[in-house]
Amino acid sequence: KAGVTQTPRYLIKTRGQQVTLSCSPISGHRSVSWYQQTPGQGLQFLFEYFSETQRNKGNFPGRFSGRQFSNSRSEMNVSTLELGDSALYLCASSLRAGNLNTGELFFGEGSRLTVL
Amino acid sequence: GQQVMQIPQYQHVQEGEDFTTYCNSSTTLSNIQWYKQRPGGHPVFLIQLVKSGEVKKQKRLTFQFGEAKKNSSLHITATQTTDVGTYFCAGQSSSGSARQLTFGSGTQLTVLP
């Protein structure tokens, strides 16, 4: 069974640009969450999608957005990049359905974004 | 909003020594999960605790969930170099329409041979 796939793995952007990151969850998983990881800040929750609907949203500015497609694949977009957006962006999928316990999260390898 | 505090941030131990990391939540949790992230890797699920006062063991690892379901701990007995990594707890709130999973800041464990 293939794991969670994130693309691209590495990317370099400059301030003011925008970026789109992609995540393909494990087959059969309909819940996809996104996290930002920076040294010393741990994993900061961005948003969670289930069946193409955003279920939860973290405390990030509106420059961070996401969506989920009918095949459960998800994308997140960051517009008007700032230096502080440099981070590892992790996607995780789970079998969570409805308002139940999340259950095990399966993380992808992440997309490492550097903003210059 | 819900906050999950984790201490210590860093821990250096000699191989063979024990190690413990602690998590405290500002709100009552539905469940708590633990993850391990090896250097350069991604978080990998270790366990989920659901019941008040629950204790689970995985070989040298012992996980506890507090009676009030607001705190948890992970204890490793006789650490090995393979235990190196960052350990995260993640708590799911027990209220709200769509309960979010909040991660602690992690404890980075270094094991000296």
PDB file of all heavy atoms in Angstrom, chain A residues 12-40:
ATOM      1  N   ILE A  12      12.442  26.342  -3.700  1.00  0.00           N
ATOM      2  CA  ILE A  12      12.963  27.641  -3.281  1.00  0.00           C
ATOM      3  C   ILE A  12      12.167  28.719  -3.999  1.00  0.00           C
ATOM      4  O   ILE A  12      12.003  28.668  -5.216  1.00  0.00           O
ATOM      5  CB  ILE A  12      14.464  27.780  -3.604  1.00  0.00           C
ATOM      6  CG1 ILE A  12      15.257  26.693  -2.878  1.00  0.00           C
ATOM      7  CG2 ILE A  12      14.970  29.167  -3.219  1.00  0.00           C
ATOM      8  CD1 ILE A  12      16.733  26.653  -3.250  1.00  0.00           C
ATOM      9  N   LYS A  13      11.674  29.660  -3.220  1.00  0.00           N
ATOM     10  CA  LYS A  13      10.898  30.769  -3.769  1.00  0.00           C
ATOM     11  C   LYS A  13      11.456  32.072  -3.212  1.00  0.00           C
ATOM     12  O   LYS A  13      12.227  32.092  -2.257  1.00  0.00           O
ATOM     13  CB  LYS A  13       9.420  30.627  -3.373  1.00  0.00           C
ATOM     14  CG  LYS A  13       8.715  29.430  -3.985  1.00  0.00           C
ATOM     15  CD  LYS A  13       8.418  29.650  -5.447  1.00  0.00           C
ATOM     16  CE  LYS A  13       7.562  28.536  -6.001  1.00  0.00           C
ATOM     17  NZ  LYS A  13       7.230  28.784  -7.433  1.00  0.00           N
ATOM     18  N   THR A  14      11.038  33.158  -3.813  1.00  0.00           N
ATOM     19  CA  THR A  14      11.417  34.466  -3.302  1.00  0.00           C
ATOM     20  C   THR A  14      10.203  35.153  -2.690  1.00  0.00           C
ATOM     21  O   THR A  14       9.051  34.800  -2.998  1.00  0.00           O
ATOM     22  CB  THR A  14      12.024  35.356  -4.398  1.00  0.00           C
ATOM     23  OG1 THR A  14      11.079  35.465  -5.475  1.00  0.00           O
ATOM     24  CG2 THR A  14      13.315  34.754  -4.916  1.00  0.00           C
ATOM     25  N   ARG A  15      10.475  36.121  -1.861  1.00  0.00           N
ATOM     26  CA  ARG A  15       9.396  36.852  -1.197  1.00  0.00           C
ATOM     27  C   ARG A  15       8.412  37.415  -2.208  1.00  0.00           C
ATOM     28  O   ARG A  15       8.804  37.924  -3.260  1.00  0.00           O
ATOM     29  CB  ARG A  15       9.972  37.995  -0.371  1.00  0.00           C
ATOM     30  CG  ARG A  15      10.504  37.578   0.976  1.00  0.00           C
ATOM     31  CD  ARG A  15      10.992  38.769   1.771  1.00  0.00           C
ATOM     32  NE  ARG A  15      12.014  39.519   1.056  1.00  0.00           N
ATOM     33  CZ  ARG A  15      12.513  40.680   1.471  1.00  0.00           C
ATOM     34  NH1 ARG A  15      12.040  41.238   2.571  1.00  0.00           N
ATOM     35  NH2 ARG A  15      13.452  41.283   0.791  1.00  0.00           N
ATOM     36  N   GLY A  16       7.134  37.326  -1.882  1.00  0.00           N
ATOM     37  CA  GLY A  16       6.101  37.852  -2.747  1.00  0.00           C
ATOM     38  C   GLY A  16       5.533  36.836  -3.719  1.00  0.00           C
ATOM     39  O   GLY A  16       4.425  37.038  -4.245  1.00  0.00           O
ATOM     40  N   GLN A  17       6.277  35.762  -3.962  1.00  0.00           N
ATOM     41  CA  GLN A  17       5.765  34.735  -4.864  1.00  0.00           C
ATOM     42  C   GLN A  17       4.710  33.886  -4.150  1.00  0.00           C
ATOM     43  O   GLN A  17       4.451  34.055  -2.952  1.00  0.00           O
ATOM     44  CB  GLN A  17       6.914  33.825  -5.341  1.00  0.00           C
ATOM     45  CG  GLN A  17       7.833  34.478  -6.347  1.00  0.00           C
ATOM     46  CD  GLN A  17       8.840  33.492  -6.899  1.00  0.00           C
ATOM     47  OE1 GLN A  17       9.494  32.734  -6.163  1.00  0.00           O
ATOM     48  NE2 GLN A  17       8.979  33.469  -8.225  1.00  0.00           N
ATOM     49  N   GLN A  18       4.109  32.995  -4.897  1.00  0.00           N
ATOM     50  CA  GLN A  18       3.175  32.068  -4.302  1.00  0.00           C
ATOM     51  C   GLN A  18       3.628  30.648  -4.591  1.00  0.00           C
ATOM     52  O   GLN A  18       4.449  30.405  -5.481  1.00  0.00           O
ATOM     53  CB  GLN A  18       1.755  32.275  -4.836  1.00  0.00           C
ATOM     54  CG  GLN A  18       1.519  31.783  -6.249  1.00  0.00           C
ATOM     55  CD  GLN A  18       0.033  31.676  -6.576  1.00  0.00           C
ATOM     56  OE1 GLN A  18      -0.827  32.218  -5.896  1.00  0.00           O
ATOM     57  NE2 GLN A  18      -0.276  30.956  -7.640  1.00  0.00           N
ATOM     58  N   VAL A  19       3.101  29.703  -3.802  1.00  0.00           N
ATOM     59  CA  VAL A  19       3.513  28.321  -3.960  1.00  0.00           C
ATOM     60  C   VAL A  19       2.305  27.406  -3.752  1.00  0.00           C
ATOM     61  O   VAL A  19       1.409  27.718  -2.964  1.00  0.00           O
ATOM     62  CB  VAL A  19       4.626  27.969  -2.952  1.00  0.00           C
ATOM     63  CG1 VAL A  19       4.119  28.024  -1.510  1.00  0.00           C
ATOM     64  CG2 VAL A  19       5.217  26.604  -3.243  1.00  0.00           C
ATOM     65  N   THR A  20       2.293  26.317  -4.496  1.00  0.00           N
ATOM     66  CA  THR A  20       1.259  25.302  -4.331  1.00  0.00           C
ATOM     67  C   THR A  20       1.927  23.971  -4.035  1.00  0.00           C
ATOM     68  O   THR A  20       2.835  23.549  -4.748  1.00  0.00           O
ATOM     69  CB  THR A  20       0.392  25.174  -5.588  1.00  0.00           C
ATOM     70  OG1 THR A  20      -0.265  26.425  -5.844  1.00  0.00           O
ATOM     71  CG2 THR A  20      -0.651  24.088  -5.401  1.00  0.00           C
ATOM     72  N   LEU A  21       1.487  23.333  -2.961  1.00  0.00           N
ATOM     73  CA  LEU A  21       2.011  22.038  -2.544  1.00  0.00           C
ATOM     74  C   LEU A  21       0.917  20.991  -2.700  1.00  0.00           C
ATOM     75  O   LEU A  21      -0.259  21.282  -2.448  1.00  0.00           O
ATOM     76  CB  LEU A  21       2.480  22.089  -1.092  1.00  0.00           C
ATOM     77  CG  LEU A  21       3.440  23.222  -0.727  1.00  0.00           C
ATOM     78  CD1 LEU A  21       3.768  23.184   0.761  1.00  0.00           C
ATOM     79  CD2 LEU A  21       4.705  23.148  -1.568  1.00  0.00           C
ATOM     80  N   SER A  22       1.320  19.789  -3.066  1.00  0.00           N
ATOM     81  CA  SER A  22       0.352  18.743  -3.328  1.00  0.00           C
ATOM     82  C   SER A  22       0.536  17.561  -2.390  1.00  0.00           C
ATOM     83  O   SER A  22       1.652  17.259  -1.965  1.00  0.00           O
ATOM     84  CB  SER A  22       0.492  18.274  -4.777  1.00  0.00           C
ATOM     85  OG  SER A  22      -0.422  17.237  -5.054  1.00  0.00           O
ATOM     86  N   CYS A  23      -0.570  16.906  -2.082  1.00  0.00           N
ATOM     87  CA  CYS A  23      -0.547  15.753  -1.178  1.00  0.00           C
ATOM     88  C   CYS A  23      -1.530  14.700  -1.671  1.00  0.00           C
ATOM     89  O   CYS A  23      -2.711  14.989  -1.876  1.00  0.00           O
ATOM     90  CB  CYS A  23      -0.921  16.195   0.229  1.00  0.00           C
ATOM     91  SG  CYS A  23      -1.156  14.845   1.412  1.00  0.00           S
ATOM     92  N   SER A  24      -1.029  13.488  -1.877  1.00  0.00           N
ATOM     93  CA  SER A  24      -1.896  12.357  -2.213  1.00  0.00           C
ATOM     94  C   SER A  24      -1.959  11.431  -1.012  1.00  0.00           C
ATOM     95  O   SER A  24      -0.930  10.871  -0.601  1.00  0.00           O
ATOM     96  CB  SER A  24      -1.346  11.617  -3.433  1.00  0.00           C
ATOM     97  OG  SER A  24      -1.421  12.423  -4.580  1.00  0.00           O
ATOM     98  N   PRO A  25      -3.136  11.270  -0.438  1.00  0.00           N
ATOM     99  CA  PRO A  25      -3.247  10.457   0.781  1.00  0.00           C
ATOM    100  C   PRO A  25      -3.184   8.964   0.469  1.00  0.00           C
ATOM    101  O   PRO A  25      -3.208   8.561  -0.700  1.00  0.00           O
ATOM    102  CB  PRO A  25      -4.623  10.830   1.328  1.00  0.00           C
ATOM    103  CG  PRO A  25      -5.414  11.181   0.102  1.00  0.00           C
ATOM    104  CD  PRO A  25      -4.433  11.823  -0.826  1.00  0.00           C
ATOM    105  N   ILE A  26      -3.111   8.180   1.497  1.00  0.00           N
ATOM    106  CA  ILE A  26      -3.186   6.734   1.349  1.00  0.00           C
ATOM    107  C   ILE A  26      -4.551   6.371   0.779  1.00  0.00           C
ATOM    108  O   ILE A  26      -5.568   6.972   1.159  1.00  0.00           O
ATOM    109  CB  ILE A  26      -2.963   6.038   2.708  1.00  0.00           C
ATOM    110  CG1 ILE A  26      -1.510   6.242   3.159  1.00  0.00           C
ATOM    111  CG2 ILE A  26      -3.311   4.563   2.649  1.00  0.00           C
ATOM    112  CD1 ILE A  26      -1.215   5.751   4.550  1.00  0.00           C
ATOM    113  N   SER A  27      -4.570   5.427  -0.121  1.00  0.00           N
ATOM    114  CA  SER A  27      -5.807   5.014  -0.758  1.00  0.00           C
ATOM    115  C   SER A  27      -6.846   4.631   0.299  1.00  0.00           C
ATOM    116  O   SER A  27      -6.566   3.845   1.208  1.00  0.00           O
ATOM    117  CB  SER A  27      -5.535   3.816  -1.676  1.00  0.00           C
ATOM    118  OG  SER A  27      -6.742   3.360  -2.247  1.00  0.00           O
ATOM    119  N   GLY A  28      -8.026   5.226   0.166  1.00  0.00           N
ATOM    120  CA  GLY A  28      -9.091   4.934   1.123  1.00  0.00           C
ATOM    121  C   GLY A  28      -9.200   5.945   2.249  1.00  0.00           C
ATOM    122  O   GLY A  28     -10.215   5.984   2.959  1.00  0.00           O
ATOM    123  N   HIS A  29      -8.167   6.751   2.435  1.00  0.00           N
ATOM    124  CA  HIS A  29      -8.204   7.804   3.453  1.00  0.00           C
ATOM    125  C   HIS A  29      -8.871   9.037   2.876  1.00  0.00           C
ATOM    126  O   HIS A  29      -8.466   9.534   1.829  1.00  0.00           O
ATOM    127  CB  HIS A  29      -6.790   8.164   3.914  1.00  0.00           C
ATOM    128  CG  HIS A  29      -6.159   7.133   4.773  1.00  0.00           C
ATOM    129  ND1 HIS A  29      -4.998   7.375   5.499  1.00  0.00           N
ATOM    130  CD2 HIS A  29      -6.510   5.851   5.050  1.00  0.00           C
ATOM    131  CE1 HIS A  29      -4.671   6.288   6.175  1.00  0.00           C
ATOM    132  NE2 HIS A  29      -5.573   5.347   5.917  1.00  0.00           N
ATOM    133  N   ARG A  30      -9.877   9.545   3.586  1.00  0.00           N
ATOM    134  CA  ARG A  30     -10.587  10.713   3.088  1.00  0.00           C
ATOM    135  C   ARG A  30     -10.258  11.981   3.862  1.00  0.00           C
ATOM    136  O   ARG A  30     -10.669  13.064   3.478  1.00  0.00           O
ATOM    137  CB  ARG A  30     -12.097  10.438   3.144  1.00  0.00           C
ATOM    138  CG  ARG A  30     -12.525   9.335   2.184  1.00  0.00           C
ATOM    139  CD  ARG A  30     -13.882   8.775   2.527  1.00  0.00           C
ATOM    140  NE  ARG A  30     -14.930   9.795   2.421  1.00  0.00           N
ATOM    141  CZ  ARG A  30     -16.170   9.616   2.854  1.00  0.00           C
ATOM    142  NH1 ARG A  30     -16.501   8.485   3.449  1.00  0.00           N
ATOM    143  NH2 ARG A  30     -17.073  10.573   2.715  1.00  0.00           N
ATOM    144  N   SER A  31      -9.544  11.834   4.963  1.00  0.00           N
ATOM    145  CA  SER A  31      -9.181  12.987   5.769  1.00  0.00           C
ATOM    146  C   SER A  31      -7.728  13.350   5.516  1.00  0.00           C
ATOM    147  O   SER A  31      -6.840  12.486   5.585  1.00  0.00           O
ATOM    148  CB  SER A  31      -9.390  12.671   7.255  1.00  0.00           C
ATOM    149  OG  SER A  31      -8.960  13.749   8.051  1.00  0.00           O
ATOM    150  N   VAL A  32      -7.492  14.622   5.227  1.00  0.00           N
ATOM    151  CA  VAL A  32      -6.134  15.118   4.990  1.00  0.00           C
ATOM    152  C   VAL A  32      -5.911  16.361   5.843  1.00  0.00           C
ATOM    153  O   VAL A  32      -6.726  17.280   5.833  1.00  0.00           O
ATOM    154  CB  VAL A  32      -5.921  15.464   3.505  1.00  0.00           C
ATOM    155  CG1 VAL A  32      -4.548  16.119   3.308  1.00  0.00           C
ATOM    156  CG2 VAL A  32      -6.033  14.216   2.641  1.00  0.00           C
ATOM    157  N   SER A  33      -4.812  16.360   6.570  1.00  0.00           N
ATOM    158  CA  SER A  33      -4.436  17.517   7.398  1.00  0.00           C
ATOM    159  C   SER A  33      -3.094  18.048   6.941  1.00  0.00           C
ATOM    160  O   SER A  33      -2.258  17.292   6.439  1.00  0.00           O
ATOM    161  CB  SER A  33      -4.336  17.109   8.875  1.00  0.00           C
ATOM    162  OG  SER A  33      -5.557  16.599   9.352  1.00  0.00           O
ATOM    163  N   TRP A  34      -2.899  19.321   7.151  1.00  0.00           N
ATOM    164  CA  TRP A  34      -1.639  19.977   6.814  1.00  0.00           C
ATOM    165  C   TRP A  34      -1.046  20.607   8.065  1.00  0.00           C
ATOM    166  O   TRP A  34      -1.773  21.214   8.876  1.00  0.00           O
ATOM    167  CB  TRP A  34      -1.855  21.069   5.759  1.00  0.00           C
ATOM    168  CG  TRP A  34      -2.179  20.558   4.392  1.00  0.00           C
ATOM    169  CD1 TRP A  34      -3.398  20.270   3.879  1.00  0.00           C
ATOM    170  CD2 TRP A  34      -1.231  20.298   3.347  1.00  0.00           C
ATOM    171  NE1 TRP A  34      -3.281  19.836   2.580  1.00  0.00           N
ATOM    172  CE2 TRP A  34      -1.962  19.857   2.223  1.00  0.00           C
ATOM    173  CE3 TRP A  34       0.164  20.399   3.240  1.00  0.00           C
ATOM    174  CZ2 TRP A  34      -1.351  19.510   1.017  1.00  0.00           C
ATOM    175  CZ3 TRP A  34       0.760  20.058   2.043  1.00  0.00           C
ATOM    176  CH2 TRP A  34       0.003  19.622   0.950  1.00  0.00           C
ATOM    177  N   TYR A  35       0.275  20.475   8.189  1.00  0.00           N
ATOM    178  CA  TYR A  35       0.991  21.048   9.316  1.00  0.00           C
ATOM    179  C   TYR A  35       2.227  21.788   8.814  1.00  0.00           C
ATOM    180  O   TYR A  35       2.855  21.380   7.832  1.00  0.00           O
ATOM    181  CB  TYR A  35       1.437  19.964  10.302  1.00  0.00           C
ATOM    182  CG  TYR A  35       0.309  19.293  11.032  1.00  0.00           C
ATOM    183  CD1 TYR A  35      -0.365  18.221  10.465  1.00  0.00           C
ATOM    184  CD2 TYR A  35      -0.087  19.746  12.284  1.00  0.00           C
ATOM    185  CE1 TYR A  35      -1.407  17.611  11.138  1.00  0.00           C
ATOM    186  CE2 TYR A  35      -1.133  19.134  12.971  1.00  0.00           C
ATOM    187  CZ  TYR A  35      -1.784  18.072  12.381  1.00  0.00           C
ATOM    188  OH  TYR A  35      -2.829  17.466  13.045  1.00  0.00           O
ATOM    189  N   GLN A  36       2.568  22.847   9.533  1.00  0.00           N
ATOM    190  CA  GLN A  36       3.812  23.557   9.271  1.00  0.00           C
ATOM    191  C   GLN A  36       4.781  23.219  10.400  1.00  0.00           C
ATOM    192  O   GLN A  36       4.426  23.323  11.581  1.00  0.00           O
ATOM    193  CB  GLN A  36       3.570  25.075   9.245  1.00  0.00           C
ATOM    194  CG  GLN A  36       4.833  25.881   8.965  1.00  0.00           C
ATOM    195  CD  GLN A  36       4.670  27.362   9.296  1.00  0.00           C
ATOM    196  OE1 GLN A  36       4.481  27.736  10.448  1.00  0.00           O
ATOM    197  NE2 GLN A  36       4.730  28.214   8.269  1.00  0.00           N
ATOM    198  N   GLN A  37       5.985  22.813  10.032  1.00  0.00           N
ATOM    199  CA  GLN A  37       6.984  22.485  11.049  1.00  0.00           C
ATOM    200  C   GLN A  37       8.201  23.374  10.893  1.00  0.00           C
ATOM    201  O   GLN A  37       8.832  23.400   9.836  1.00  0.00           O
ATOM    202  CB  GLN A  37       7.402  21.018  10.970  1.00  0.00           C
ATOM    203  CG  GLN A  37       8.342  20.625  12.108  1.00  0.00           C
ATOM    204  CD  GLN A  37       8.629  19.145  12.172  1.00  0.00           C
ATOM    205  OE1 GLN A  37       8.680  18.460  11.148  1.00  0.00           O
ATOM    206  NE2 GLN A  37       8.809  18.630  13.382  1.00  0.00           N
ATOM    207  N   THR A  38       8.517  24.092  11.957  1.00  0.00           N
ATOM    208  CA  THR A  38       9.717  24.919  12.000  1.00  0.00           C
ATOM    209  C   THR A  38      10.486  24.579  13.264  1.00  0.00           C
ATOM    210  O   THR A  38       9.892  24.131  14.252  1.00  0.00           O
ATOM    211  CB  THR A  38       9.363  26.416  12.007  1.00  0.00           C
ATOM    212  OG1 THR A  38       8.445  26.671  13.080  1.00  0.00           O
ATOM    213  CG2 THR A  38       8.728  26.835  10.692  1.00  0.00           C
ATOM    214  N   PRO A  39      11.804  24.761  13.263  1.00  0.00           N
ATOM    215  CA  PRO A  39      12.601  24.451  14.452  1.00  0.00           C
ATOM    216  C   PRO A  39      12.101  25.222  15.667  1.00  0.00           C
ATOM    217  O   PRO A  39      11.884  26.434  15.592  1.00  0.00           O
ATOM    218  CB  PRO A  39      14.010  24.900  14.058  1.00  0.00           C
ATOM    219  CG  PRO A  39      14.013  24.851  12.575  1.00  0.00           C
ATOM    220  CD  PRO A  39      12.636  25.224  12.145  1.00  0.00           C
ATOM    221  N   GLY A  40      11.869  24.520  16.737  1.00  0.00           N
ATOM    222  CA  GLY A  40      11.434  25.173  17.962  1.00  0.00           C
ATOM    223  C   GLY A  40       9.942  25.439  18.061  1.00  0.00           C
ATOM    224  O   GLY A  40       9.449  25.799  19.117  1.00  0.00           O
TER     225      GLY A  40
END
